[in-house]
Amino acid sequence: MNRYFLRNNTKNIVYRFLSIFLIFILILGCSPELFVKAQTEFSNVALGNNVIADCSNWAINNNCGTDKLTDGDVNTISISNNSDSADTVKEIYVELNSFSKINEVQLFPYYYNRNGFPEDFTIEAYTSSGWKQVCSMSGVEAPETMVSCTFQSVEASAVRIKVTKLGMDGETYVLILSEIKVMGSLCDKSIPLPIEFSENIAPKSEVFAECDTWGYNNGFVAENLIDDNTNTYTWSNYENSETVPKEVYLLFDKTYHIYSLDLWAIYSKKGFPVDFTIEAYTKEGWKQVYSGIGTEAVANLKCDFGSVDACAVRLKINRLGQTEQTDKYALMLSEIKVTATESTKKFDVFSVVSDTYTVKNDVIYCVDRNTDTDSFKSCFYNDFDVEILSTDEILSTGSQVTLKHNVFGVSKNFTVAVTSDISGDGSITAEDLVCLRRYLTNIDTFDNAHFIAADINADNDVNIIDLVRLKKNLINLSNIYYVDSDSEIGNDGLSVN
């Protein structure tokens, strides 16, 4: 009887286990996204990305370059230059996919004989606070399989493998690896790449600078400043005074995280700027990042200023250098170089256009009711020409405006949002109440401009509170609220934080 009980009890346990297993399978079958997520949550976020590392000429010429470290093939290798000492430090920098949350780095040895594998090394991740050591290993000798370095998850844009003791290949010390995998998943945060991945972005830019007429007609044009050739040059008009201001603008092809700007003198070092400032166009507008006072003429002046996200730079010269004519002054340069990495932030030279109005997602807002076209135009910075694409004398929500940057020559179209003018007729009436009610009852939707106009209390949301505010505004039209300049408005007309 006890055997019968045990046999039935065992069957029940097995049946329960199978039932739970089948239910689990059915859940996965009904929710394929769960299965996909389980497979893709952790992947190699270094696959196919850039690598910076020491590599011998022989290796490069024989298809054993640094690109083999992230090609996904453990049967290819990368070989460094040989070293006389095991203590020669070598570093490998690996770019990650966007901004990743990583918890493991895998190093694969040379598949043929495992020679050249690093014996002592550390692994660092480039985080929002800079380089951070996440793993350290020592005494590793010619492993037969992949070496896994696991650590607590960290958000990073790159990893650095710092080898402090090299392995041997024959009688020489060398670094040989077949593959580097960085396991992790993408995350929402963003951080630029470290300066080790930087490049000179000036050749990708447009340059705007005054140029002497004779020089321009004879090939000494402003574009020589960004041709990545220090043997070409340009100069401004000659002046009788050294204090005549001059400006040089560089408009980038996108937003970059810039670290420094280099000024290269012409062969004689004449006309090199004495007093100058460097400004970067940030999301908040022009920001001074460097100042040079009493600068002596040198072949190359490196102006470091930490780092800043910018889409343009401006060199403002307040005191010119002397030319070959002792009583004449000018700006003479052969090259401008800008050291930068691509930024994760996206903005342009229309980010800040006025002290009165705010621009975001192609909408100009904080516009008061009954604003006429002349008053509207007068509120913009002198850098911009303003064209209103309607014949109405009073601005309304939905009015179309074109701004043109006077220096860069680029134009952009915008839509106006007048707070409380939800219907877009230029006035605040009961019709605006109707429009707001239709939105709140999901009958109508708003684009960016009308959403901002309906956000009466500036909380980055449109709800019943705005309806109450609008009713009060109809009674007291002077009580108008404006959207805060830090609010984020989504492209679908809905608020996002």
Side-chain angles (χ1 to χ4, degrees):
M1 183 172 182
N2 289 336
R3 286 196 300 269
Y4 177 80
F5 173 80
L6 290 172
R7 186 163 53 249
N8 280 331
N9 192 42
T10 303
K11 286 182 179 179
N12 288 336
I13 293 173
V14 173
Y15 289 153
R16 288 178 181 178
F17 174 80
L18 290 174
S19 298
I20 294 172
F21 179 75
L22 288 173
I23 291 172
F24 180 73
I25 294 298
L26 288 172
I27 291 174
L28 284 180
C30 295
S31 304
E33 66 275 9
L34 294 177
F35 182 70
V36 172
K37 183 178 179 181
Q39 280 193 319
T40 59
E41 185 174 4
F42 296 99
S43 60
N44 180 15
V45 293
L47 182 63
N49 288 345
N50 294 330
V51 177
I52 301 174
D54 173 45
C55 191
S56 69
N57 290 331
W58 182 93
I60 296 173
N61 295 331
N62 287 272
N63 203 26
C64 297
T66 57
D67 59 311
K68 301 304 177 184
L69 292 173
T70 57
D71 65 354
D73 186 355
V74 296
N75 294 315
T76 60
I77 60 173
S78 176
I79 307 173
S80 73
N81 287 296
N82 294 337
S83 298
D84 296 329
S85 170
D87 298 329
T88 301
V89 176
K90 292 188 182 293
E91 295 179 335
I92 303 174
Y93 295 84
V94 182
E95 178 185 351
L96 305 181
N97 290 338
S98 185
F99 194 79
S100 305
K101 191 171 186 178
I102 61 174
N103 61 1
E104 181 185 11
V105 174
Q106 300 174 357
L107 303 182
F108 290 78
Y110 182 20
Y111 60 89
Y112 180 69
N113 58 15
R114 303 181 301 280
N115 287 349
F117 195 89
E119 294 189 16
D120 298 348
F121 61 90
T122 59
I123 295 177
E124 299 174 343
Y126 192 77
T127 70
S128 56
S129 302
W131 287 110
K132 175 184 178 181
Q133 182 174 314
V134 293
C135 183
S136 176
M137 301 192 76
S138 60
V140 183
E141 296 184 4
E144 294 186 1
T145 59
M146 174 266 293
V147 173
S148 174
C149 309
T150 59
F151 44 87
Q152 186 175 356
S153 295
V154 61
E155 294 163 342
S157 62
V159 295
R160 174 168 63 188
I161 303 164
K162 189 173 183 179
V163 180
T164 53
K165 186 176 181 181
L166 296 170
M168 294 193 72
D169 183 27
E171 297 182 356
T172 64
Y173 298 96
V174 68
L175 176 58
I176 304 176
L177 291 173
S178 66
E179 191 74 15
I180 298 174
K181 293 184 179 181
V182 182
M183 307 308 294
S185 59
L186 300 183
C187 61
D188 295 333
K189 289 188 177 180
S190 60
I191 190 174
L193 288 169
I195 193 171
E196 286 79 8
F197 287 93
S198 64
E199 60 176 327
N200 174 25
I201 62 169
K204 301 178 181 180
S205 310
E206 292 184 70
V207 61
F208 304 86
E210 176 187 289
C211 188
D212 173 75
T213 303
W214 184 92
Y216 180 86
N217 293 333
N218 287 273
F220 299 96
V221 294
E223 285 71 20
N224 290 346
L225 293 173
I226 57 171
D227 63 357
D228 208 18
N229 182 359
T230 57
N231 293 319
T232 61
Y233 54 95
T234 188
W235 63 85
S236 68
N237 293 320
Y238 280 30
E239 306 292 348
N240 295 323
S241 171
E242 62 181 352
T243 58
V244 176
K246 303 287 183 184
E247 295 181 341
V248 179
Y249 292 81
L250 265 64
L251 177 64
F252 307 145
D253 62 329
K254 61 182 73 172
T255 308
Y256 287 95
H257 198 68
I258 61 174
Y259 298 92
S260 63
L261 185 145
D262 291 10
L263 299 178
W264 293 76
I266 66 172
Y267 64 95
S268 65
K269 300 180 184 177
K270 296 293 186 180
F272 198 82
V274 179
D275 296 346
F276 65 93
T277 59
I278 297 173
E279 297 178 355
Y281 195 93
T282 69
K283 195 173 183 179
E284 291 75 36
W286 288 110
K287 174 185 177 182
Q288 182 175 312
V289 294
Y290 187 90
S291 177
I293 305 296
T295 307
E296 295 183 5
V298 293
N300 172 28
L301 178 65
K302 189 175 186 63
C303 306
D304 291 309
F305 40 78
S307 61
V308 63
D309 291 296
C311 61
V313 292
R314 174 167 63 187
L315 175 64
K316 297 181 71 173
I317 293 87
N318 303 312
R319 186 179 167 197
L320 299 170
Q322 193 177 60
T323 68
E324 71 284 354
Q325 302 178 30
T326 55
D327 60 341
K328 297 292 183 180
Y329 304 88
L331 172 63
M332 297 179 169
L333 291 172
S334 66
E335 196 72 21
I336 296 177
K337 295 185 178 182
V338 182
T339 302
T341 57
E342 188 171 341
S343 175
T344 55
K345 298 180 180 180
K346 308 299 177 186
F347 56 87
D348 55 29
V349 291
F350 296 97
S351 298
V352 181
V353 298
S354 167
D355 290 330
T356 305
Y357 306 132
T358 302
V359 170
K360 191 165 290 183
N361 290 333
D362 300 341
V363 177
I364 299 174
Y365 54 102
C366 295
V367 180
D368 198 358
R369 62 187 177 86
N370 296 327
T371 300
D372 61 62
T373 55
D374 290 337
S375 298
F376 180 77
K377 290 180 178 180
S378 66
C379 291
F380 289 85
Y381 297 145
N382 293 332
D383 286 345
F384 299 95
D385 281 338
V386 183
E387 180 184 3
I388 299 175
L389 305 179
S390 65
T391 57
D392 297 334
E393 287 298 320
I394 302 298
L395 273 297
S396 60
T397 297
S399 295
Q400 298 298 305
V401 174
T402 298
L403 299 183
K404 180 180 179 181
H405 200 287
N406 292 325
V407 175
F408 300 124
V410 291
S411 300
K412 192 172 183 179
N413 295 326
F414 294 90
T415 304
V416 172
V418 177
T419 305
S420 295
D421 177 25
I422 306 170
S423 65
D425 62 359
S427 58
I428 302 173
T429 65
E431 187 175 350
D432 297 301
L433 280 175
V434 174
C435 292
L436 185 49
R437 286 196 184 100
R438 289 176 65 85
Y439 173 83
L440 295 175
T441 53
N442 297 320
I443 297 175
D444 291 336
T445 59
F446 288 155
D447 58 18
N448 281 349
H450 289 82
F451 182 92
I452 295 173
D455 186 13
I456 313 299
N457 69 337
D459 65 350
N460 202 30
D461 192 15
V462 175
N463 50 42
I464 192 66
I465 298 175
D466 297 297
L467 187 65
V468 174
R469 293 282 191 182
L470 183 56
K471 288 180 179 179
K472 291 182 178 180
N473 288 344
L474 286 171
I475 298 173
N476 181 12
L477 290 180
S478 64
N479 187 20
I480 304 295
Y481 292 77
Y482 299 100
V483 178
D484 183 79
S485 61
D486 291 332
S487 299
E488 293 284 349
I489 308 299
N491 290 328
D492 59 354
L494 300 178
S495 64
V496 295
N497 293 325

